[in-house]
Amino acid sequence: MGHHHPHGHGHGHHSHDEASIEPSQVLDSEIPDSELAPADVSRRSLLRGAGLLGAGAAASVLGSATTPAPAAAAPDTSGVARKGGYLWLAGDHHIHTQYSPDGVYRVIDQVRHANAYGLDWMVITDHGTVQHAKIGVEKVNPDIRNARDEIRDTLVFQGLEWNIPGAEHGTVFVHPGKNEVGVLRQFENDYDGTVKNAKEGTPANEALAIAGLNFLADAVRRKQVEDAMFFANHPARQGIDSPHEIRGWRDAAPRIALGFEGAPGHQAAGLPKPLGPGSGRGSYNASPGTQSFPGYPLESYRTWGGFDWMTATVGGLWDSLLAEGKPWWITANSDCHSVYADTATRGPGSDFNNNGFYNDPVYGGAINTGNNDYWPGFYSRTNVGSSAATYAAVMAGLRAGRVWVDHGRLINGIDAQVRPSSGGPGVTLGGVLQVKRGTKVQLDVTVDLATTPNWAQFVAKLARVDVIQGDVTGSVKDRDTLTAPNTKVVKSYEVTAGKTSLRFTYDLGAVDGPVYLRLRGTDGNRSAAGYHGADVDPHGPGMDVVGDADPWIDLWFYTNPIWVLTQ
Amino acid sequence: MTVLGIDAGSTTVRAAEHLLQRVLGEVLGAAPERFACTHVVRGDHPHAALSVTVDAAELGLVEPVAPGAPGELREPGADGGLAALSNRLGIAELGLAWQHERYGPPSLAAGAAFTAGELAARSTGRAVVFPGVDALVGTLTVREVLARSAVDEIVVVGGPPATLDDAVDTRDFVRPEWRDGRLVLAVTPAGGGVLAPFEVPNPTACCADHA
């Protein structure tokens, strides 16, 4: 476990106890006080004091039943160095196989490549289809279990690419166990937008999506599976994930609906013709359609520096959720269906409609330059701070938002801690630091720069890191809000040539109200003023050009936020 | 010119545009000053519908003598009118609207009335047919696009504002939109210093078969 973790130095913190650090619980107004640990109730009262939680907000769709925390992590015996007290495990929650109608590869093909390219965890997510609901969800399971046995140091989850009723696709996955297939099969048969013919953006279909998330929450509550979670995939691609749907998912099932892809897969799709697909990076090349949310501008239909517009826009939709105090996390994945310049083709004589899978791939004899994807781990990474190298710990880390993402191995690792300037323990990604109003607070950051080559065989060079800060202003009345007017880039740090790390302290001064911070870094090759102007984001990512977007010369990393709440 | 609204409940903009080609090819024919647009009709069942500028004579329709005047709606099989148009298209569920006339299921007729009103007011609508559209082929300068067609304005998405001498690779697929009385074409950098319409002719399907 944990190969490719060259960060050489731990920071001497003890691994945080999962049960005591659940900022999402603190921030989740929908979880009743009775479900929280006493310390969390106390944190929540801070939030109420800050005016972030309404008096009636504790009413919960979860009722009074308890949602168990993920099982205690097994002791970590790998001996891998920790950073900020955690193992940072690289993964990918969006991968297709021959059980998808647009797939090619075996499960083992994906797992072997992911393992070779350094992934510690991965999720097999074939498309929800009539065939998959009937055949594939069942048949893929032994392939996954065999892969778990054969490749011991990459965790392989079984999941599904859910056609969210009334919306885009999303990853749903569960903790391995005897019911993993049963729960996924029932979920797909009862709640998949394709299987249920429920793709249209109607109120009834939006309600079916919420019912699906509630089904998963219930499956965990009733211990049918140990854990389950959902991330929305390529959320802005077609403009059909409206802001109110995203808020609806999260608020209905805050322990299941955890975030969206900050960066979609298909990152090779923008490579220019004739040697590339010549499409939109991320396969983002759509225009508004009948199901699109009318408030989304044309800019939202393209990626920006490889990232989805909702995430890439400072003061945009993602920030509007964070400014509400809603835990909502970003990830970066491959969406691997068929790999750029690969030679494999589908097995001859395949009959997906009747068999539910394509025959094993064969050598095709030609290089396919029309393929849009990179192998899992080859380009995109979702790095999760985990207390141990276990399924439960990865899921706990994802739920806690202890996640940073990068492209092309732009950095080796990052340690970000917000702490009182007078000293004391820090709080890392996804966490909440609580202080008295007027307390001086600082953000300490150490970025380990890339020292080993990426999978294009060059050592990526970080040029700059931006600190993004926003006020936490509480719930919005308009559930379709997609801006956060008080969020902007507050400070940028250039990287000095020849160093192996970038260390800086960003001084927030005396904080007089709740805020959040997040980090972003770039190779500096391509930038433009942000969607909300240069005052908000002077040198953000540029909009990717359809047919002319080489992803290796436009690399970014993003972290999830850290909140500072004042009393 | 008056405006005919057509709503067949198309689930995609592309399907609506396909229907428009049928309407133009089989019923109305070419007219140099014609505008024809696709629209999204919002509501509990969002869908795409059409608007087309028409001469009353083209449809065998009679201009109403006064607003709301009765008697223009004719039964299927009659010589002209909306019913005859519906018959000629052979679409079972079709809503039509022209002036004060309505034809078809009420929800679709309402959609057709909406699209007709939008184009009549030049407020919204994605123009598929407009004066000069046939001249917008190959690569042109911004100046040429503005001079040769009804496009009033070109805006750049994801790049600096265009100059009149900037090149636009039309890809022979130009779909400007009405925005508050002006026909606006959104373009975007397309590599090599060339601009291209923001809307691509063949966008990736949502679950594309890549292999």
Side-chain angles (χ1 to χ4, degrees), chain A residues 107-162:
Chain A
V107 169
I108 196 65
D109 296 329
Q110 294 284 26
V111 176
R112 287 177 64 233
H113 280 95
N115 178 264
Y117 293 125
L119 292 192
D120 303 300
W121 62 273
M122 61 193 293
V123 187
I124 300 297
T125 52
D126 288 306
H127 287 289
T129 62
V130 171
Q131 294 86 353
H132 188 265
K134 204 165 71 179
I135 306 167
V137 67
E138 200 81 61
K139 231 172 150 40
V140 73
N141 183 258
D143 294 1
I144 288 173
R145 283 188 284 119
N146 288 339
R148 287 171 184 157
D149 290 341
E150 188 174 331
I151 308 293
R152 302 302 296 233
D153 58 354
T154 296
L155 305 169
V156 187
F157 292 91
Q158 181 167 351
L160 167 74
E161 190 167 23
W162 182 30

Short mmCIF file of all heavy atoms in Angstrom, two decimals, chain A residues 107-162:
data_model
loop_
_atom_site.label_atom_id
_atom_site.label_comp_id
_atom_site.label_asym_id
_atom_site.label_seq_id
_atom_site.Cartn_x
_atom_site.Cartn_y
_atom_site.Cartn_z
N VAL A 107 -12.12 -5.12 -16.02
CA VAL A 107 -11.83 -4.53 -14.71
C VAL A 107 -10.33 -4.62 -14.42
O VAL A 107 -9.71 -3.64 -13.98
CB VAL A 107 -12.64 -5.25 -13.60
CG1 VAL A 107 -12.15 -4.82 -12.22
CG2 VAL A 107 -14.14 -4.96 -13.76
N ILE A 108 -9.75 -5.79 -14.67
CA ILE A 108 -8.33 -5.96 -14.31
C ILE A 108 -7.43 -5.04 -15.14
O ILE A 108 -6.39 -4.60 -14.67
CB ILE A 108 -7.90 -7.45 -14.43
CG1 ILE A 108 -6.58 -7.69 -13.67
CG2 ILE A 108 -7.77 -7.88 -15.88
CD1 ILE A 108 -6.67 -7.49 -12.18
N ASP A 109 -7.84 -4.73 -16.37
CA ASP A 109 -7.05 -3.77 -17.16
C ASP A 109 -6.99 -2.43 -16.43
O ASP A 109 -5.93 -1.82 -16.32
CB ASP A 109 -7.69 -3.55 -18.54
CG ASP A 109 -7.70 -4.80 -19.40
OD1 ASP A 109 -6.77 -5.63 -19.26
OD2 ASP A 109 -8.63 -4.94 -20.22
N GLN A 110 -8.14 -1.98 -15.96
CA GLN A 110 -8.19 -0.68 -15.29
C GLN A 110 -7.43 -0.73 -13.96
O GLN A 110 -6.70 0.21 -13.62
CB GLN A 110 -9.66 -0.27 -15.04
CG GLN A 110 -10.46 0.01 -16.31
CD GLN A 110 -10.11 1.35 -16.95
OE1 GLN A 110 -9.02 1.87 -16.79
NE2 GLN A 110 -11.07 1.90 -17.68
N VAL A 111 -7.59 -1.81 -13.24
CA VAL A 111 -6.95 -1.88 -11.92
C VAL A 111 -5.43 -1.98 -12.05
O VAL A 111 -4.69 -1.32 -11.31
CB VAL A 111 -7.52 -3.06 -11.10
CG1 VAL A 111 -6.78 -3.20 -9.77
CG2 VAL A 111 -9.02 -2.88 -10.86
N ARG A 112 -4.96 -2.76 -13.00
CA ARG A 112 -3.50 -2.89 -13.16
C ARG A 112 -2.89 -1.56 -13.57
O ARG A 112 -1.83 -1.18 -13.08
CB ARG A 112 -3.18 -3.97 -14.20
CG ARG A 112 -3.43 -5.38 -13.68
CD ARG A 112 -3.18 -6.44 -14.75
NE ARG A 112 -1.79 -6.46 -15.17
CZ ARG A 112 -1.37 -6.39 -16.44
NH1 ARG A 112 -2.27 -6.32 -17.40
NH2 ARG A 112 -0.10 -6.40 -16.72
N HIS A 113 -3.56 -0.85 -14.48
CA HIS A 113 -3.02 0.45 -14.87
C HIS A 113 -3.08 1.44 -13.71
O HIS A 113 -2.12 2.16 -13.45
CB HIS A 113 -3.77 0.99 -16.09
CG HIS A 113 -3.31 0.41 -17.38
ND1 HIS A 113 -3.92 -0.66 -17.98
CD2 HIS A 113 -2.27 0.73 -18.18
CE1 HIS A 113 -3.28 -0.99 -19.09
NE2 HIS A 113 -2.28 -0.15 -19.24
N ALA A 114 -4.22 1.48 -13.04
CA ALA A 114 -4.35 2.42 -11.92
C ALA A 114 -3.26 2.16 -10.88
O ALA A 114 -2.64 3.09 -10.36
CB ALA A 114 -5.73 2.28 -11.29
N ASN A 115 -3.01 0.90 -10.61
CA ASN A 115 -1.98 0.52 -9.64
C ASN A 115 -0.60 0.96 -10.12
O ASN A 115 0.18 1.54 -9.38
CB ASN A 115 -2.06 -0.99 -9.41
CG ASN A 115 -0.99 -1.47 -8.45
OD1 ASN A 115 0.07 -1.92 -8.86
ND2 ASN A 115 -1.28 -1.33 -7.16
N ALA A 116 -0.34 0.69 -11.38
CA ALA A 116 0.97 1.06 -11.93
C ALA A 116 1.17 2.57 -11.92
O ALA A 116 2.28 3.06 -11.70
CB ALA A 116 1.11 0.53 -13.35
N TYR A 117 0.10 3.32 -12.13
CA TYR A 117 0.21 4.77 -12.17
C TYR A 117 0.02 5.40 -10.80
O TYR A 117 -0.12 6.61 -10.68
CB TYR A 117 -0.78 5.35 -13.19
CG TYR A 117 -0.42 4.98 -14.61
CD1 TYR A 117 -1.34 4.35 -15.45
CD2 TYR A 117 0.86 5.25 -15.11
CE1 TYR A 117 -0.99 4.00 -16.75
CE2 TYR A 117 1.20 4.89 -16.40
CZ TYR A 117 0.28 4.26 -17.22
OH TYR A 117 0.63 3.91 -18.49
N GLY A 118 0.01 4.56 -9.77
CA GLY A 118 0.14 5.11 -8.42
C GLY A 118 -1.13 5.31 -7.65
O GLY A 118 -1.10 5.98 -6.61
N LEU A 119 -2.26 4.78 -8.10
CA LEU A 119 -3.48 4.98 -7.33
C LEU A 119 -3.59 3.97 -6.19
O LEU A 119 -3.32 2.79 -6.35
CB LEU A 119 -4.72 4.88 -8.23
CG LEU A 119 -4.88 5.99 -9.26
CD1 LEU A 119 -6.28 5.95 -9.88
CD2 LEU A 119 -4.62 7.37 -8.66
N ASP A 120 -4.03 4.49 -5.05
CA ASP A 120 -4.21 3.67 -3.86
C ASP A 120 -5.65 3.17 -3.73
O ASP A 120 -5.91 2.21 -3.03
CB ASP A 120 -3.87 4.49 -2.62
CG ASP A 120 -2.46 5.04 -2.68
OD1 ASP A 120 -1.53 4.23 -2.77
OD2 ASP A 120 -2.29 6.27 -2.67
N TRP A 121 -6.57 3.88 -4.39
CA TRP A 121 -7.98 3.46 -4.35
C TRP A 121 -8.65 3.87 -5.65
O TRP A 121 -8.20 4.80 -6.33
CB TRP A 121 -8.71 4.07 -3.14
CG TRP A 121 -8.76 5.57 -3.14
CD1 TRP A 121 -7.82 6.42 -2.63
CD2 TRP A 121 -9.78 6.40 -3.70
NE1 TRP A 121 -8.19 7.73 -2.84
CE2 TRP A 121 -9.40 7.75 -3.48
CE3 TRP A 121 -10.99 6.14 -4.35
CZ2 TRP A 121 -10.18 8.83 -3.90
CZ3 TRP A 121 -11.77 7.22 -4.77
CH2 TRP A 121 -11.36 8.55 -4.53
N MET A 122 -9.69 3.18 -6.01
CA MET A 122 -10.40 3.46 -7.25
C MET A 122 -11.82 2.90 -7.15
O MET A 122 -12.10 2.01 -6.36
CB MET A 122 -9.67 2.84 -8.44
CG MET A 122 -9.55 1.31 -8.36
SD MET A 122 -8.37 0.63 -9.56
CE MET A 122 -9.22 0.98 -11.11
N VAL A 123 -12.69 3.46 -7.97
CA VAL A 123 -14.09 3.01 -7.98
C VAL A 123 -14.46 2.63 -9.41
O VAL A 123 -14.26 3.42 -10.34
CB VAL A 123 -15.05 4.11 -7.48
CG1 VAL A 123 -16.46 3.54 -7.33
CG2 VAL A 123 -14.56 4.71 -6.16
N ILE A 124 -14.97 1.41 -9.59
CA ILE A 124 -15.48 0.97 -10.89
C ILE A 124 -16.92 1.48 -11.02
O ILE A 124 -17.79 1.13 -10.21
CB ILE A 124 -15.45 -0.57 -11.00
CG1 ILE A 124 -14.01 -1.07 -10.86
CG2 ILE A 124 -16.07 -1.02 -12.33
CD1 ILE A 124 -13.04 -0.61 -11.91
N THR A 125 -17.15 2.33 -12.03
CA THR A 125 -18.46 2.99 -12.16
C THR A 125 -19.01 2.82 -13.56
O THR A 125 -18.93 3.73 -14.38
CB THR A 125 -18.34 4.50 -11.86
OG1 THR A 125 -17.28 5.04 -12.67
CG2 THR A 125 -18.04 4.76 -10.40
N ASP A 126 -19.55 1.65 -13.84
CA ASP A 126 -20.18 1.48 -15.15
C ASP A 126 -21.53 2.19 -15.18
O ASP A 126 -22.19 2.37 -14.16
CB ASP A 126 -20.31 -0.01 -15.47
CG ASP A 126 -18.94 -0.61 -15.80
OD1 ASP A 126 -18.28 -0.05 -16.70
OD2 ASP A 126 -18.53 -1.56 -15.12
N HIS A 127 -21.92 2.58 -16.40
CA HIS A 127 -23.16 3.34 -16.56
C HIS A 127 -24.38 2.55 -16.12
O HIS A 127 -24.49 1.36 -16.41
CB HIS A 127 -23.36 3.70 -18.04
CG HIS A 127 -22.45 4.77 -18.54
ND1 HIS A 127 -22.56 6.09 -18.16
CD2 HIS A 127 -21.41 4.72 -19.41
CE1 HIS A 127 -21.62 6.81 -18.78
NE2 HIS A 127 -20.91 5.99 -19.54
N GLY A 128 -25.30 3.26 -15.48
CA GLY A 128 -26.61 2.69 -15.25
C GLY A 128 -27.32 2.50 -16.59
O GLY A 128 -27.46 3.44 -17.36
N THR A 129 -27.70 1.27 -16.88
CA THR A 129 -28.45 0.94 -18.11
C THR A 129 -29.40 -0.21 -17.76
O THR A 129 -29.25 -0.85 -16.72
CB THR A 129 -27.55 0.45 -19.26
OG1 THR A 129 -26.91 -0.76 -18.84
CG2 THR A 129 -26.48 1.48 -19.63
N VAL A 130 -30.32 -0.46 -18.67
CA VAL A 130 -31.20 -1.60 -18.46
C VAL A 130 -30.38 -2.89 -18.36
O VAL A 130 -30.62 -3.74 -17.49
CB VAL A 130 -32.23 -1.69 -19.62
CG1 VAL A 130 -33.02 -3.00 -19.55
CG2 VAL A 130 -33.17 -0.48 -19.56
N GLN A 131 -29.38 -3.00 -19.26
CA GLN A 131 -28.55 -4.22 -19.26
C GLN A 131 -27.72 -4.32 -17.98
O GLN A 131 -27.55 -5.41 -17.41
CB GLN A 131 -27.61 -4.23 -20.47
CG GLN A 131 -28.29 -4.34 -21.81
CD GLN A 131 -28.72 -2.97 -22.34
OE1 GLN A 131 -28.62 -1.95 -21.66
NE2 GLN A 131 -29.22 -2.95 -23.58
N HIS A 132 -27.17 -3.19 -17.54
CA HIS A 132 -26.33 -3.21 -16.34
C HIS A 132 -27.16 -3.54 -15.11
O HIS A 132 -26.72 -4.30 -14.24
CB HIS A 132 -25.62 -1.87 -16.17
CG HIS A 132 -24.59 -1.86 -15.09
ND1 HIS A 132 -24.87 -1.43 -13.81
CD2 HIS A 132 -23.27 -2.23 -15.08
CE1 HIS A 132 -23.77 -1.54 -13.07
NE2 HIS A 132 -22.79 -2.02 -13.81
N ALA A 133 -28.37 -2.97 -15.05
CA ALA A 133 -29.22 -3.22 -13.89
C ALA A 133 -29.60 -4.70 -13.81
O ALA A 133 -29.74 -5.27 -12.74
CB ALA A 133 -30.49 -2.37 -13.98
N LYS A 134 -29.73 -5.32 -15.00
CA LYS A 134 -30.15 -6.71 -15.06
C LYS A 134 -28.96 -7.67 -14.93
O LYS A 134 -29.03 -8.68 -14.26
CB LYS A 134 -30.88 -6.96 -16.39
CG LYS A 134 -31.84 -8.13 -16.39
CD LYS A 134 -32.78 -8.10 -17.60
CE LYS A 134 -32.05 -8.43 -18.88
NZ LYS A 134 -32.95 -8.43 -20.06
N ILE A 135 -27.85 -7.31 -15.63
CA ILE A 135 -26.75 -8.26 -15.76
C ILE A 135 -25.44 -7.72 -15.17
O ILE A 135 -24.80 -8.35 -14.34
CB ILE A 135 -26.52 -8.62 -17.25
CG1 ILE A 135 -27.82 -9.12 -17.89
CG2 ILE A 135 -25.41 -9.66 -17.38
CD1 ILE A 135 -27.75 -9.20 -19.42
N GLY A 136 -25.05 -6.54 -15.65
CA GLY A 136 -23.70 -6.04 -15.39
C GLY A 136 -23.38 -5.85 -13.93
O GLY A 136 -22.28 -6.18 -13.46
N VAL A 137 -24.34 -5.29 -13.17
CA VAL A 137 -24.07 -4.98 -11.77
C VAL A 137 -23.70 -6.25 -11.01
O VAL A 137 -22.92 -6.23 -10.05
CB VAL A 137 -25.29 -4.26 -11.13
CG1 VAL A 137 -26.49 -5.19 -11.05
CG2 VAL A 137 -24.94 -3.70 -9.76
N GLU A 138 -24.25 -7.36 -11.45
CA GLU A 138 -24.01 -8.67 -10.85
C GLU A 138 -22.67 -9.24 -11.35
O GLU A 138 -21.84 -9.70 -10.59
CB GLU A 138 -25.16 -9.57 -11.31
CG GLU A 138 -25.47 -10.79 -10.56
CD GLU A 138 -26.30 -10.56 -9.32
OE1 GLU A 138 -27.45 -10.07 -9.41
OE2 GLU A 138 -25.75 -10.93 -8.29
N LYS A 139 -22.50 -9.19 -12.67
CA LYS A 139 -21.40 -9.88 -13.33
C LYS A 139 -20.05 -9.20 -13.10
O LYS A 139 -19.00 -9.85 -13.14
CB LYS A 139 -21.70 -9.93 -14.84
CG LYS A 139 -21.57 -11.34 -15.43
CD LYS A 139 -22.06 -11.37 -16.87
CE LYS A 139 -21.34 -12.44 -17.67
NZ LYS A 139 -21.08 -13.69 -16.99
N VAL A 140 -20.07 -7.89 -12.86
CA VAL A 140 -18.81 -7.18 -12.66
C VAL A 140 -18.22 -7.50 -11.29
O VAL A 140 -17.02 -7.38 -11.08
CB VAL A 140 -19.01 -5.65 -12.83
CG1 VAL A 140 -19.75 -5.05 -11.64
CG2 VAL A 140 -17.67 -4.94 -13.04
N ASN A 141 -19.06 -7.95 -10.36
CA ASN A 141 -18.60 -8.11 -8.99
C ASN A 141 -17.48 -9.14 -8.83
O ASN A 141 -16.46 -8.84 -8.18
CB ASN A 141 -19.78 -8.42 -8.06
CG ASN A 141 -19.35 -8.52 -6.62
OD1 ASN A 141 -19.21 -9.60 -6.07
ND2 ASN A 141 -19.10 -7.37 -6.00
N PRO A 142 -17.61 -10.35 -9.41
CA PRO A 142 -16.48 -11.29 -9.29
C PRO A 142 -15.20 -10.75 -9.93
O PRO A 142 -14.09 -11.02 -9.43
CB PRO A 142 -16.97 -12.55 -9.99
CG PRO A 142 -18.27 -12.21 -10.63
CD PRO A 142 -18.79 -10.96 -10.01
N ASP A 143 -15.35 -9.96 -11.01
CA ASP A 143 -14.15 -9.37 -11.62
C ASP A 143 -13.48 -8.41 -10.63
O ASP A 143 -12.25 -8.36 -10.53
CB ASP A 143 -14.53 -8.59 -12.89
CG ASP A 143 -15.05 -9.50 -14.00
OD1 ASP A 143 -15.13 -10.73 -13.77
OD2 ASP A 143 -15.37 -8.98 -15.09
N ILE A 144 -14.30 -7.66 -9.92
CA ILE A 144 -13.76 -6.71 -8.95
C ILE A 144 -13.12 -7.46 -7.78
O ILE A 144 -12.02 -7.12 -7.33
CB ILE A 144 -14.88 -5.76 -8.46
CG1 ILE A 144 -15.25 -4.78 -9.59
CG2 ILE A 144 -14.45 -4.99 -7.20
CD1 ILE A 144 -16.46 -3.90 -9.29
N ARG A 145 -13.80 -8.50 -7.32
CA ARG A 145 -13.24 -9.23 -6.17
C ARG A 145 -11.94 -9.94 -6.56
O ARG A 145 -10.99 -9.97 -5.78
CB ARG A 145 -14.28 -10.22 -5.62
CG ARG A 145 -15.34 -9.48 -4.77
CD ARG A 145 -16.27 -10.42 -4.05
NE ARG A 145 -17.26 -10.99 -4.96
CZ ARG A 145 -17.39 -12.29 -5.19
NH1 ARG A 145 -16.60 -13.16 -4.60
NH2 ARG A 145 -18.31 -12.72 -6.03
N ASN A 146 -11.88 -10.44 -7.78
CA ASN A 146 -10.62 -11.04 -8.24
C ASN A 146 -9.51 -10.01 -8.31
O ASN A 146 -8.36 -10.28 -7.97
CB ASN A 146 -10.81 -11.70 -9.60
CG ASN A 146 -11.64 -12.98 -9.51
OD1 ASN A 146 -11.74 -13.57 -8.44
ND2 ASN A 146 -12.25 -13.37 -10.63
N ALA A 147 -9.88 -8.81 -8.77
CA ALA A 147 -8.87 -7.75 -8.87
C ALA A 147 -8.36 -7.36 -7.48
O ALA A 147 -7.17 -7.09 -7.29
CB ALA A 147 -9.45 -6.53 -9.58
N ARG A 148 -9.27 -7.34 -6.50
CA ARG A 148 -8.84 -7.05 -5.12
C ARG A 148 -7.81 -8.06 -4.65
O ARG A 148 -6.86 -7.73 -3.94
CB ARG A 148 -10.05 -7.08 -4.18
CG ARG A 148 -10.98 -5.88 -4.33
CD ARG A 148 -12.27 -6.10 -3.52
NE ARG A 148 -13.21 -5.01 -3.72
CZ ARG A 148 -14.52 -5.12 -3.52
NH1 ARG A 148 -15.05 -6.26 -3.12
NH2 ARG A 148 -15.30 -4.07 -3.73
N ASP A 149 -8.02 -9.33 -5.04
CA ASP A 149 -7.08 -10.37 -4.63
C ASP A 149 -5.76 -10.26 -5.37
O ASP A 149 -4.69 -10.49 -4.80
CB ASP A 149 -7.69 -11.76 -4.90
CG ASP A 149 -8.84 -12.06 -3.95
OD1 ASP A 149 -8.92 -11.39 -2.90
OD2 ASP A 149 -9.67 -12.93 -4.28
N GLU A 150 -5.85 -9.92 -6.65
CA GLU A 150 -4.65 -9.93 -7.48
C GLU A 150 -3.79 -8.69 -7.23
O GLU A 150 -2.56 -8.77 -7.23
CB GLU A 150 -5.06 -10.01 -8.96
CG GLU A 150 -3.89 -10.22 -9.88
CD GLU A 150 -4.34 -10.44 -11.33
OE1 GLU A 150 -5.45 -10.96 -11.55
OE2 GLU A 150 -3.56 -10.06 -12.22
N ILE A 151 -4.42 -7.55 -7.08
CA ILE A 151 -3.69 -6.29 -6.87
C ILE A 151 -3.95 -5.85 -5.44
O ILE A 151 -4.96 -5.21 -5.16
CB ILE A 151 -4.15 -5.21 -7.88
CG1 ILE A 151 -4.10 -5.74 -9.31
CG2 ILE A 151 -3.33 -3.94 -7.72
CD1 ILE A 151 -2.72 -6.03 -9.84
N ARG A 152 -3.05 -6.20 -4.56
CA ARG A 152 -3.34 -6.05 -3.14
C ARG A 152 -3.21 -4.62 -2.65
O ARG A 152 -3.75 -4.28 -1.62
CB ARG A 152 -2.40 -6.94 -2.31
CG ARG A 152 -2.49 -8.41 -2.66
CD ARG A 152 -3.91 -8.94 -2.47
NE ARG A 152 -4.34 -8.87 -1.08
CZ ARG A 152 -4.81 -9.90 -0.40
NH1 ARG A 152 -4.94 -11.08 -0.98
NH2 ARG A 152 -5.17 -9.76 0.85
N ASP A 153 -2.46 -3.79 -3.33
CA ASP A 153 -2.22 -2.46 -2.76
C ASP A 153 -2.97 -1.34 -3.48
O ASP A 153 -2.59 -0.18 -3.39
CB ASP A 153 -0.73 -2.15 -2.67
CG ASP A 153 -0.04 -2.24 -4.01
OD1 ASP A 153 -0.71 -2.65 -4.98
OD2 ASP A 153 1.15 -1.90 -4.08
N THR A 154 -4.03 -1.69 -4.18
CA THR A 154 -4.99 -0.66 -4.63
C THR A 154 -6.38 -1.13 -4.20
O THR A 154 -6.80 -2.24 -4.54
CB THR A 154 -4.93 -0.47 -6.15
OG1 THR A 154 -3.64 0.02 -6.52
CG2 THR A 154 -5.98 0.55 -6.60
N LEU A 155 -7.05 -0.29 -3.43
CA LEU A 155 -8.42 -0.61 -3.00
C LEU A 155 -9.37 -0.43 -4.18
O LEU A 155 -9.32 0.59 -4.85
CB LEU A 155 -8.84 0.31 -1.85
CG LEU A 155 -7.92 0.34 -0.63
CD1 LEU A 155 -8.30 1.49 0.31
CD2 LEU A 155 -7.97 -0.99 0.12
N VAL A 156 -10.20 -1.43 -4.43
CA VAL A 156 -11.12 -1.36 -5.57
C VAL A 156 -12.56 -1.41 -5.06
O VAL A 156 -13.03 -2.44 -4.59
CB VAL A 156 -10.87 -2.50 -6.57
CG1 VAL A 156 -11.73 -2.30 -7.82
CG2 VAL A 156 -9.40 -2.62 -6.94
N PHE A 157 -13.25 -0.28 -5.15
CA PHE A 157 -14.65 -0.20 -4.75
C PHE A 157 -15.54 -0.58 -5.93
O PHE A 157 -15.21 -0.28 -7.09
CB PHE A 157 -15.03 1.22 -4.36
CG PHE A 157 -14.39 1.75 -3.10
CD1 PHE A 157 -13.18 2.43 -3.15
CD2 PHE A 157 -15.01 1.60 -1.87
CE1 PHE A 157 -12.60 2.96 -2.00
CE2 PHE A 157 -14.44 2.12 -0.71
CZ PHE A 157 -13.23 2.80 -0.77
N GLN A 158 -16.67 -1.18 -5.66
CA GLN A 158 -17.70 -1.30 -6.68
C GLN A 158 -18.67 -0.13 -6.55
O GLN A 158 -19.15 0.20 -5.46
CB GLN A 158 -18.49 -2.61 -6.59
CG GLN A 158 -19.54 -2.71 -7.71
CD GLN A 158 -20.14 -4.11 -7.88
OE1 GLN A 158 -19.67 -5.07 -7.28
NE2 GLN A 158 -21.17 -4.19 -8.71
N GLY A 159 -18.94 0.49 -7.69
CA GLY A 159 -19.88 1.60 -7.72
C GLY A 159 -20.71 1.55 -8.98
O GLY A 159 -20.84 0.51 -9.63
N LEU A 160 -21.25 2.68 -9.32
CA LEU A 160 -22.18 2.79 -10.45
C LEU A 160 -22.08 4.21 -10.95
O LEU A 160 -21.92 5.13 -10.15
CB LEU A 160 -23.61 2.52 -9.95
CG LEU A 160 -24.76 2.89 -10.89
CD1 LEU A 160 -24.85 1.87 -12.02
CD2 LEU A 160 -26.07 2.93 -10.12
N GLU A 161 -22.12 4.41 -12.28
CA GLU A 161 -22.34 5.78 -12.72
C GLU A 161 -23.84 5.96 -12.90
O GLU A 161 -24.44 5.53 -13.89
CB GLU A 161 -21.57 6.19 -13.98
CG GLU A 161 -21.73 7.72 -14.15
CD GLU A 161 -20.80 8.37 -15.15
OE1 GLU A 161 -20.31 7.68 -16.06
OE2 GLU A 161 -20.58 9.60 -15.01
N TRP A 162 -24.39 6.58 -11.92
CA TRP A 162 -25.84 6.81 -11.79
C TRP A 162 -26.28 7.87 -12.77
O TRP A 162 -25.68 8.96 -12.83
CB TRP A 162 -26.09 7.27 -10.35
CG TRP A 162 -27.52 7.53 -9.95
CD1 TRP A 162 -28.63 6.93 -10.43
CD2 TRP A 162 -27.94 8.46 -8.94
NE1 TRP A 162 -29.74 7.43 -9.76
CE2 TRP A 162 -29.35 8.37 -8.85
CE3 TRP A 162 -27.27 9.34 -8.10
CZ2 TRP A 162 -30.09 9.14 -7.96
CZ3 TRP A 162 -28.01 10.10 -7.21
CH2 TRP A 162 -29.41 10.00 -7.14
#
